[in-house]
Amino acid sequence: MSLKAILFDFNGVIINDESIHEQLIEQLLIEENLTIKPGEYRKICLGRSDRACVKELLAKRGRVVSETYLTQLLNRKAESYVREIEKITKLPLYPGLDDLIFQARSRNLKIGIVSGAIRKEIDLILNRANLAEHFKLIVAGDDITTSKPDPHGYLLAVKRLNQEYPDLNLLPEECLAIEDTFAGIQAAKQAGMQVVGVAHTYPFHMLQRQANWTIDYLSDLELERVQEVYEQKTG
């Protein structure tokens, strides 16, 4: 077995923008004449799609909305996200990302994104950061109806990579996921992938209990050593 692809989560792995999302979700609830409790966003929303997050927050307040209305709310939030990002002179990308992408490409590994964020938000950041050319594969929150920890997003990523590269014959166990939350780690593992937990959102020791590898920073990931582990699993 060999390592053939690296799949990145987006918020919390590529960009440090969770505080922006929390602020916008809180504002969305206020506009619906609702409030959010301290710590509730972190408990319910981290690692999950905006759709799942907002739907559960509304349900906990006795509000059951149609999928159409929920989509309208998420579109409003996305428009607000664009405005907030436009105010930022330098995007809060995590250090080490460029070098990790270089390492992956130099080893001919496919790279992609599997995220609960909607495509509009992901494209905005990738285009502004000049990273879009590296991430041809994106499975976003509007591509699937489920949310992490459900593995569907990761399995869809494997399917799409095989469609794009018919000779790749990619299996889930030949992918490495990079995640920062428990829901994300569980999703990748349920898809049959090994996972690197990066301590951007939770402490190292908490991620270490669930991930196959744990790092403090993206720059700590040694792909050569990871590849050796994959090769040792052959047979």
Side-chain angles (χ1 to χ4, degrees):
M1 186 175 73
S2 61
L3 175 61
K4 294 182 180 180
I6 300 179
L7 300 174
F8 292 73
D9 181 36
F10 189 67
N11 310 111
V13 170
I14 289 177
I15 184 167
N16 183 9
D17 63 350
E18 206 63 65
S19 61
I20 297 175
H21 289 284
E22 182 173 2
Q23 170 196 331
L24 296 179
I25 294 293
E26 182 177 357
Q27 182 60 38
L28 201 65
L29 289 182
I30 290 173
E31 292 170 359
E32 294 294 303
N33 296 313
L34 301 169
T35 58
I36 192 167
K37 301 174 184 176
E40 193 174 19
Y41 175 86
R42 188 175 181 87
K43 180 179 179 181
I44 293 175
C45 300
L46 285 186
R48 302 177 69 204
S49 70
D50 280 352
R51 181 171 292 273
C53 163
V54 174
K55 190 172 185 177
E56 183 168 342
L57 287 172
L58 290 175
K60 282 182 173 294
R61 287 151 179 80
R63 292 280 300 277
V64 179
V65 298
S66 67
E67 290 300 314
T68 300
Y69 188 71
L70 187 56
T71 298
Q72 292 173 359
L73 292 178
L74 297 179
N75 286 337
R76 271 167 44 197
K77 184 256 181 183
E79 290 167 3
S80 297
Y81 181 82
V82 171
R83 291 193 292 270
E84 290 300 315
I85 291 298
E86 287 174 346
K87 297 176 186 176
I88 301 173
T89 303
K90 184 179 180 181
L91 291 176
L93 300 177
Y94 282 102
L97 177 62
D98 287 339
D99 182 61
L100 185 52
I101 291 172
F102 175 79
Q103 285 189 62
R105 289 175 64 88
S106 67
R107 289 171 169 76
N108 295 315
L109 301 176
K110 307 304 180 188
I111 60 176
I113 290 172
V114 178
S115 171
I118 67 172
R119 183 66 182 251
K120 182 178 181 179
E121 295 177 1
I122 296 173
D123 286 342
L124 170 70
I125 299 300
L126 293 183
N127 288 326
R128 183 167 160 187
N130 297 316
L131 293 173
E133 65 175 307
H134 301 306
F135 293 100
K136 300 297 185 183
L137 168 79
I138 298 174
V139 175
D142 26 13
D143 292 320
I144 53 178
T145 57
T146 59
S147 172
K148 298 172 184 177
D150 186 282
H152 183 61
Y154 277 110
L155 295 174
L156 180 58
V158 172
K159 180 180 178 180
R160 287 184 175 178
L161 281 171
N162 280 324
Q163 290 172 340
E164 182 71 19
Y165 306 99
D167 296 331
L168 186 61
N169 297 314
L170 182 66
L171 299 172
E173 53 264 35
E174 295 171 321
C175 299
L176 179 70
I178 303 180
E179 283 282 357
D180 66 306
T181 66
F182 306 131
I185 292 172
Q186 291 166 19
K189 281 195 164 185
Q190 288 187 65
M193 301 177 185
Q194 296 195 52
V195 192
V196 172
V198 58
H200 289 162
T201 305
Y202 290 97
F204 184 99
H205 72 275
M206 294 179 70
L207 294 179
Q208 196 173 29
R209 298 169 188 165
Q210 298 195 31
N212 300 94
W213 292 273
T214 310
I215 55 177
D216 284 307
Y217 310 102
L218 293 176
S219 56
D220 294 337
L221 181 55
E222 300 177 20
L223 279 185
E224 184 176 354
R225 291 183 61 189
V226 172
Q227 282 184 305
E228 289 175 358
V229 172
Y230 274 75
E231 290 166 3
Q232 290 168 6
K233 290 180 179 292
T234 300

